[in-house]
Amino acid sequence: MKNTRLLLLVVGLLSACGHTENAKENATRPTNSLADSVAAPAPKPQNCQSIVAADKLGKSNVFHESAKPINVTLILDQDTSTTQAANGCYFDNMITVLATKKSGSRVFKRTLLKDDLLYFSKKDEAIEQAILQNVTYKPTFNGQKYITLSMRLINPGSRKTTDYTVFMNYFGEIVKVK
């Protein structure tokens, strides 16, 4: 009786493994459908400009306060998305916020885009037409468990700047935007 149960268990496991292998093979096989053959051609790359100087992109800025047990590193990088303006095309930027404890262990890492501000603002047009120019850490000089960042957006057509203050908790979530 035990041998029969063991044999059925082994056969069941082997057949289950065979089904998952077949499913993996079928999932990786390309399908020839009409939609694939009528796919639109890729858009042509445009000659876009950058608002931020090349020497400032990818540079780490480290901030720490004596009242807080963390260090904050801000890294401004160029995003793959672009914004069209009256005088040309401009690359958008993104900021990577890395918070670490004084010991070096990571608290959180978060990449912020200008689009993250859309959830907290009533003026969507101003944010959509602007480009992230700079982000700075604003010290709070207290033991509160939040990080304050100042995000500066610039409209490439009019060169008008708009500043937003972003409050983030220690989980990397945006709590409030002013």
Side-chain angles (χ1 to χ4, degrees):
M1 187 71 166
K2 289 184 180 181
N3 290 338
T4 309
R5 289 183 185 167
L6 183 62
L7 181 63
L8 286 174
L9 177 66
V10 169
V11 169
L13 288 173
L14 288 175
S15 66
C17 290
H19 288 298
T20 52
E21 287 177 5
N22 290 339
K24 288 180 185 176
E25 288 175 6
N26 291 337
T28 58
R29 272 190 215 148
T31 59
N32 293 331
S33 67
L34 183 61
D36 290 341
S37 63
V38 187
K44 294 181 181 178
Q46 298 176 354
N47 189 13
C48 295
Q49 306 173 38
S50 178
I51 291 287
V52 181
D55 61 337
K56 293 189 180 193
L57 293 174
K59 183 180 173 187
S60 298
N61 295 321
V62 180
F63 302 93
H64 58 275
E65 294 181 41
S66 59
K68 291 189 179 184
I70 64 169
N71 295 328
V72 178
T73 304
L74 301 176
I75 304 167
L76 185 67
D77 283 318
Q78 192 169 350
D79 194 12
T80 57
S81 62
T82 59
T83 300
Q84 292 291 333
N87 55 352
C89 173
Y90 293 91
F91 284 111
D92 289 328
N93 296 316
M94 62 182 171
I95 189 76
T96 302
V97 181
L98 175 63
T100 56
K101 293 181 182 178
K102 302 278 184 182
S103 64
S105 62
R106 182 186 291 182
V107 177
F108 73 87
K109 181 178 182 179
R110 168 89 189 259
T111 300
L112 294 174
L113 304 169
K114 68 173 183 176
D115 297 336
D116 293 329
L117 299 174
L118 293 173
Y119 298 111
F120 298 92
S121 176
K122 295 178 185 175
K123 301 177 184 177
D124 292 347
E125 290 179 16
I127 295 173
E128 290 173 352
Q129 295 173 357
I131 295 172
L132 180 63
Q133 181 183 20
N134 192 12
V135 178
T136 56
Y137 178 79
K138 293 178 72 174
T140 55
F141 301 109
N142 59 23
Q144 297 291 327
K145 295 204 177 231
Y146 62 86
I147 296 168
T148 308
L149 303 173
S150 176
M151 295 179 74
R152 175 168 283 179
L153 301 178
I154 185 169
N155 188 325
S158 65
R159 295 290 185 194
K160 179 182 175 187
T161 60
T162 309
D163 290 332
Y164 293 93
T165 303
V166 177
F167 297 91
M168 297 175 69
N169 61 15
Y170 281 7
F171 298 108
E173 300 168 337
I174 299 175
V175 178
K176 182 171 66 169
V177 174
K178 283 187 181 179

